[in-house]
Amino acid sequence: MSTYTLTVTCPSTRGIVAAISGFLAEKGCNITDSAQFDDPGTGNFFMRTSFVSEEGASLAALREAFGAVAEPFAMDWAIHDDAQKMKVIIMVSRFGHCLNDLLYRWRIGALPVEIVAVISNHLDYQKVVVNHDIPFHHIKVTGENKPQAEQRIMDVVEETGAELVVLARYMQVLSDQMCQKMAGRIINIHHSFLPSFKGANPYKQAFERGVKLIGATAHFVTADLDEGPIIEQDTVRVTHAQSGEDYVSLGRDVEAQVLARAIHAFIHHRVLMNGNKTVVFPASPGGYRSERMG
């Protein structure tokens, strides 16, 4: 039996859940997991529903028929085939901890994606990537060639059909044009617990301020640097006795975990935009299973 995920965003009103559940029952589908959120601040309703097609309804048929249900509620909606792996591009510079973590999770099936390319402005991780049989693109970025470099990046995105770009400590600022063109499709890991300690060296700032928590933030990339909607965050405790180098080492682990969790949420269609914020629904039962455990 085919399994699908339906996501819905629309103005809040009566009858939405009834309309969706009635439609799925009529089409011979059984709901296996569902989560919803009604935001009184924005007046918007959000829903994510996983279901099984028990009578053979195809994805195309479900999409075609659901339009009649969605229209009266002005729904922004999508139905996804859970068996279809999302195509992802990873971008990295010279800090490789997030890249290596993602490659491991991908290798064991904990992140069920298709990594269609790794792009870097340096050659440090070319061998690592090629050894995983993943295409590696070295695109050098300078002050003089930045527009051309970004066009090359976009060419890779379009040629591969990538649905998500992950900035795994890619240390180049993307142009406003690229951010707008890829809105909602680029996730960045910021080595700080935003919105505090922004800029080039947040760990140094945190150390100088004597903080007791350091963390990391995964967010969508927008034209406003480090201001995009936040998807995932976490922290680790530190004490007065730890050094700035300790902060960096502890921060690396948090960054890798936060980025992986954000990607996991995105590829399973658990992240819905809510203005400058996000709604992140919990994973469905079995959503964290891996193909192998080591």
Side-chain angles (χ1 to χ4, degrees):
M1 292 184 292
S2 299
T3 60
Y4 302 108
T5 298
L6 166 67
T7 58
V8 168
T9 301
C10 64
S12 179
T13 188
R14 293 190 303 271
I16 301 171
V17 176
I20 292 173
S21 58
F23 167 82
L24 293 176
E26 179 186 332
K27 296 300 179 182
C29 299
N30 182 37
I31 294 174
T32 57
D33 181 59
S34 188
Q36 65 191 65
F37 173 64
D38 193 291
D39 186 351
T42 62
N44 289 329
F45 174 86
F46 305 86
M47 188 171 182
R48 177 186 182 274
T49 300
S50 298
F51 61 93
V52 177
S53 175
E54 295 182 336
E55 297 180 7
S58 69
L59 179 62
L62 290 168
R63 285 174 171 169
E64 182 178 0
F66 191 75
V69 178
E71 185 176 3
F73 297 98
M75 291 180 184
D76 181 8
W77 62 276
I79 302 177
H80 306 276
D81 184 345
D82 292 348
Q84 187 67 41
K85 292 183 178 181
M86 190 174 292
K87 294 182 177 180
V88 175
I89 288 175
I90 301 174
M91 297 178 65
V92 64
S93 289
R94 285 193 146 152
F95 298 99
H97 51 286
C98 288
L99 170 66
N100 283 302
D101 179 77
L102 294 176
L103 290 175
Y104 174 74
R105 293 174 190 266
W106 164 76
R107 194 166 64 246
I108 68 170
L111 277 180
V113 297
E114 182 182 351
I115 302 177
V116 293
V118 171
I119 297 174
S120 180
N121 53 329
H122 298 282
L123 290 168
D124 301 48
Y125 300 103
Q126 181 180 30
K127 185 175 180 180
V128 171
V129 173
V130 172
N131 285 345
H132 283 80
D133 294 323
I134 298 170
F136 180 87
H137 300 267
H138 176 226
I139 301 178
K140 188 175 180 179
V141 182
T142 66
E144 292 72 32
N145 81 335
K146 190 164 186 176
Q148 293 81 8
E150 279 204 352
Q151 183 56 55
R152 287 183 61 195
I153 293 170
M154 288 306 304
D155 289 344
V156 176
V157 172
E158 291 167 7
E159 290 165 6
T160 59
E163 302 159 84
L164 174 66
V165 174
V166 177
L167 305 186
R169 292 302 299 271
Y170 180 72
M171 307 306 287
Q172 293 288 327
V173 178
L174 303 182
S175 69
D176 292 358
Q177 181 181 6
M178 184 173 178
C179 291
Q180 292 167 8
K181 188 172 183 177
M182 295 288 293
R185 295 171 56 199
I186 307 178
I187 294 176
N188 180 49
I189 184 65
H190 186 80
H191 46 306
S192 177
F193 193 67
L194 292 176
S196 300
F197 304 120
K198 302 176 188 176
N201 199 335
Y203 289 127
K204 183 174 184 293
Q205 298 174 53
F207 175 66
E208 291 175 346
R209 291 287 299 274
V211 302
K212 299 299 182 281
L213 286 172
I214 58 173
T217 302
H219 62 93
F220 285 114
V221 174
T222 63
D224 296 320
L225 183 64
D226 300 329
E227 294 286 347
I230 292 170
I231 304 170
E232 179 64 56
Q233 295 181 292
D234 206 351
T235 59
V236 61
R237 294 198 66 84
V238 293
T239 74
H240 64 278
Q242 289 169 314
S243 67
E245 291 78 10
D246 290 336
Y247 281 31
V248 174
S249 296
L250 291 166
R252 280 198 299 259
D253 292 338
V254 181
E255 291 167 32
Q257 293 174 43
V258 167
L259 181 59
R261 292 203 297 260
I263 296 169
H264 187 277
F266 186 89
I267 65 174
H268 286 94
H269 314 292
R270 296 195 282 116
V271 183
L272 300 179
M273 299 298 296
N274 186 19
N276 293 324
K277 301 186 294 183
T278 61
V279 173
V280 183
F281 286 120
S284 298
Y288 290 109
R289 65 181 178 271
S290 300
E291 294 172 1
R292 53 195 179 93
M293 297 302 295

